[in-house]
């Protein structure tokens, strides 16, 4: 009897033909998990893909929901766009195709891109290095921008279509991944930026329950907003395009027309010539991070009592105990958005030093001193020091709020059927990390810097361009991926959980290549406590 080659795997919709690469890693690219969202399916909930005859070629990346690179070619992550209608696809990287008994753990990767762009087909998301560690890796696409997150009256999914795409992709993984050597009972969802925010949304959503057992949120940008905000954005686009804001009106527009009309809807960060005013406004915005994200990002997850995916905000759902039984690895880079204030350097750095500016903005003198002691690399640069406030307000504090909400969440009691004894449900652990390696191109550990370390792809040609060096520490990539793999396998990255004295791990600390267990984000923890007391 003739054996099927390992490059050919049978899915529920039909056969797919992938390609074998180095180190025994096989790639199956552009596999559709949903029907093309065009025609009568445009702006509707995703519908599972139809079966096909014969063997489908899966050796090239498929179409992407991102139609154009919104941030140009000089992006922090290479994000290619590919045309085509069949854009709800996923990519599988596996060392064990056609071996359902292997049952390897699975990581499903959700790309970032401010909910407006991004690509699952970035070379940085290739799962080969994870395959070498016996982890099956899947990168998924989802509708972005207005297609995925705009409010569409008259649709069977007026909200959160991009997140529903992700749910359907996770169901595809549940139903098909065993044929690629993966274990559907050991799925970890992971993502960065908007992808990290999506991970937290899945933890909060009743529709995602049971589709994964662990979660990794890297630099999560939740960006969830109430229905009123989504309605307002839809009304602005309708006004710009001259259509009635209903499903037929939206379908009368091309993708390019909607993308063009969406430009400039997000509010830019206001960089006041007065550094004291900027510091005051940034601290105030940090008290309401969801409102700030909703203003900055025109599109994102929407919570509404009538929505099945996200009936409540992520924070409210987390505090009520959503996702309490799922282990979570979560963290940020040290200087996420610190570089955003760089245009003000010629003005701000000619005036007062950072400590004086912070004091004038109302920071207690000891607080200003403590912040600059925590970030010595910023002390002699007022512009970067104030940019660090932006990082704290946009990323660090919202992340810590989620961590604290998980720790204090109210969870239902559980009962033993045989004995009738009830007791408090056991919460899963939360592990917090800080990525501190400073890339030479900016001198900062800014947004996206950890991604090529997680995927251990430092040899990719784009890394040198983005980092400004070809000598990024490979030992740090190995150490980082080791912890991710441990977490994917066992739900514990082998460093102290946050509840154990607020400890975590810092990557790229001190020597810029070492890893240490420590207390990350200590100045932000102090700020959060101070804000509660005010």
């Amino acid at each position: 009897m003739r054996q099927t080659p390992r490059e050919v795997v049978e899915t529920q919709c039909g056969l797919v033909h992938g390609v074998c690469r180095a180190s025994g890693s096989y790639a199956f690219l552009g596999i559709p998990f949903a029907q093309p969202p065009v025609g009568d399916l445009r702006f509707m909930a995703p519908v599972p893909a139809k079966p096909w005859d014969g063997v489908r070629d899966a050796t090239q990346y498929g179409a992407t929901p991102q139609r154009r690179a919104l941030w140009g070619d000089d992006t922090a992550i290479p994000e290619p766009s590919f045309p085509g209608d069949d854009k709800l696809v996923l990519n599988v990287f596996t060392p064990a195709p056609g071996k359902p008994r292997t049952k390897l753990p699975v990581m499903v990767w959700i790309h970032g891109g401010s909910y407006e762009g991004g690509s699952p087909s970035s070379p940085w998301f290739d799962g080969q290095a994870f395959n070498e560690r016996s982890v099956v890796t899947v990168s998924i696409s989802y509708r972005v921008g207005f297609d995925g997150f705009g409010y569409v009256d008259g649709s069977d999914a007026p909200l959160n279509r991009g997140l529903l795409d992700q749910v359907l992709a996770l169901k595809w993984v549940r139903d098909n991944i065993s044929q690629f050597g993966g274990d559907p009972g050991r799925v970890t969802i992971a993502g960065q930026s908007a992808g990290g925010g999506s991970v937290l949304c899945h933890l909060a959503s009743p529709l995602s329950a049971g589709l994964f057992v662990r979660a990794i949120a890297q630099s999560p940008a939740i960006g969830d907003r109430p229905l009123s905000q989504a309605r307002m954005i839809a009304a602005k686009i309708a006004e710009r395009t001259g259509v009635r804001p209903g499903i037929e009106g939206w379908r009368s527009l091309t993708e390019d027309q909607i993308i063009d009309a969406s430009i400039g809807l997000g509010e830019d960060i206001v960089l006041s010539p007065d550094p004291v005013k900027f510091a005051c406004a940034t601290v105030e915005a940090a008290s309401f991070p969801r409102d700030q994200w909703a203003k900055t990002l025109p599109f994102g997850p929407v919570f509404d009592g009538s929505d099945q995916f996200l009936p409540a905000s992520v924070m409210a759902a987390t505090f009520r105990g959503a996702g309490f039984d799922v282990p979570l690895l979560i963290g940020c880079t040290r200087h996420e958005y610190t570089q955003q204030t760089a245009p003000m350097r010629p003005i701000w750095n000619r005036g007062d030093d950072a400590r004086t500016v912070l004091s004038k903005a109302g920071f207690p003198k000891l607080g200003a001193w403590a912040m600059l002691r925590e970030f010595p690399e910023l002390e002699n640069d007022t512009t970067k020091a104030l940019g660090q406030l932006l990082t704290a307000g946009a990323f660090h504090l919202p992340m810590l709020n989620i961590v604290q909400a998980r720790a204090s969440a109210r969870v239902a009691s559980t009962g033993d059927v045989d004995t009738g004894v009830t007791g408090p449900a056991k919460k899963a652990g939360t592990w917090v990390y800080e990525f501190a390696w400073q890339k030479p191109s900016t001198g900062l550990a800014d947004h996206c810097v950890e991604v090529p370390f997680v995927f251990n792809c430092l040899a990719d040609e784009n890394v040198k361009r983005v980092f400004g060096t070809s000598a990024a520490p490979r030992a740090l990539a190995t150490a980082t991926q080791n912890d991710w793999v441990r977490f994917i396998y066992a739900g514990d990255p082998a460093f102290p959980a946050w509840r154990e004295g607020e400890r975590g791990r810092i990557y790229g600390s001190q020597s810029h290549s070492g890893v240490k267990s420590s207390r990350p984000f200590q100045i932000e923890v102090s700020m959060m406590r101070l804000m509660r007391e005010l």
Side-chain angles (χ1 to χ4, degrees), residues 69-397:
L70 301 182
W71 300 279
D73 296 328
D74 190 26
T75 57
I77 294 179
E79 297 169 327
S81 299
F82 300 112
D85 291 336
D86 211 351
K87 56 188 178 182
L88 294 182
V89 297
L90 48 78
N91 310 303
V92 181
F93 305 91
T94 175
K99 295 184 176 182
R101 295 182 181 180
T102 307
K103 292 188 177 299
L104 299 176
V106 181
M107 182 182 76
V108 177
W109 180 258
I110 306 172
H111 69 78
S114 301
Y115 301 102
E116 284 192 89
S119 173
S121 305
S122 171
W124 286 10
F125 305 154
D126 188 300
Q128 181 169 324
F130 276 106
N131 288 174
E132 293 171 4
R133 310 295 301 277
S134 297
V135 174
V136 176
T137 306
V138 182
S139 61
I140 65 175
S141 68
Y142 58 97
R143 282 172 284 182
V144 295
F146 188 85
D147 269 17
F149 296 94
Y151 173 69
V152 176
D153 189 24
S155 169
D156 62 347
L159 304 171
N160 298 322
R161 290 175 298 280
L163 293 165
L164 293 176
D165 294 342
Q166 296 174 18
V167 170
L168 189 56
L170 289 171
K171 290 181 177 178
W172 185 97
V173 170
R174 178 195 63 194
D175 298 337
N176 293 277
I177 204 63
S178 61
Q179 296 302 314
F180 294 86
D183 184 348
R186 288 200 292 169
V187 173
T188 297
I189 59 171
Q192 184 265 347
S193 194
S198 296
V199 166
L200 296 182
C201 287
H202 287 296
L203 282 169
S205 174
L207 295 187
S208 304
L211 295 175
F212 56 93
V213 295
R214 314 190 216 293
I216 302 174
Q218 300 171 207
S219 304
I222 304 172
D224 60 343
R225 72 282 313 275
L227 177 60
S228 59
Q229 179 79 12
R231 286 181 182 271
M232 181 184 68
I233 291 295
K236 286 184 177 180
I237 297 177
E239 182 181 359
R240 290 182 177 187
T241 55
V243 302
R244 293 177 63 86
I247 192 165
E248 295 307 322
W250 299 124
R251 284 176 177 169
S252 71
L253 299 173
T254 66
E255 286 186 325
D256 281 334
Q257 286 176 314
I258 292 179
I259 292 173
D260 289 341
S262 301
I263 295 173
L265 287 175
E267 295 182 10
D268 292 332
I269 297 167
V270 178
L271 299 176
S272 169
D274 184 342
V276 175
K277 287 184 178 179
F278 173 81
C280 291
T282 304
V283 171
E284 182 179 355
S287 302
F288 306 98
R290 187 178 70 213
D291 296 344
Q292 187 62 35
W293 273 121
K295 291 177 182 178
T296 305
L297 303 179
F299 304 109
V302 180
F303 60 87
D304 179 67
S306 63
D307 184 63
Q308 289 185 312
F309 182 84
L310 211 57
S313 71
V314 172
M315 180 60 69
T318 303
F319 187 72
R320 293 170 189 165
F324 79 94
D325 55 344
V326 177
L328 173 64
L329 174 61
I330 187 170
C332 291
T333 68
R334 185 171 174 86
H335 310 113
E336 296 277 5
Y337 268 18
T338 305
Q339 185 71 0
Q340 296 294 314
T341 55
M344 304 308 295
R345 182 166 287 111
I347 299 174
W348 290 356
N349 279 15
R350 287 206 310 262
D352 293 330
D353 62 21
R355 190 175 302 183
T356 302
V357 171
L358 291 172
S359 296
K360 287 182 177 180
F363 268 67
K365 288 187 178 180
L366 287 178
W369 175 80
M371 177 182 170
L372 296 173
R373 185 184 64 175
E374 186 74 18
F375 298 98
E377 69 273 19
L378 310 178
E379 186 170 9
N380 297 320
D381 191 322
T382 300
T383 303
K384 286 184 177 179
L386 297 185
Q388 194 62 32
L389 292 181
L390 194 61
T391 286
F395 285 95
H396 294 175
L397 291 173

Side-chain angles (χ1 to χ4, degrees), residues 461-521:
E461 59 184 8
N462 294 284
V463 173
K464 181 179 180 180
R465 171 185 63 84
V466 173
F467 283 5
T469 180
S470 58
R474 296 181 182 275
L476 180 57
T478 300
T480 304
Q481 193 176 67
N482 280 347
D483 287 349
W484 262 240
V485 169
R486 289 190 193 102
F487 183 81
I488 291 166
Y489 261 87
D492 186 335
F495 60 82
W498 183 254
R499 284 176 293 184
E500 297 175 17
E502 295 176 345
R503 292 187 66 83
R505 179 153 291 187
I506 299 179
Y507 297 93
S509 60
Q510 296 178 343
S511 67
H512 302 299
S513 61
V515 175
K516 68 175 182 178
S517 292
S518 185
R519 288 184 169 84
F521 309 112

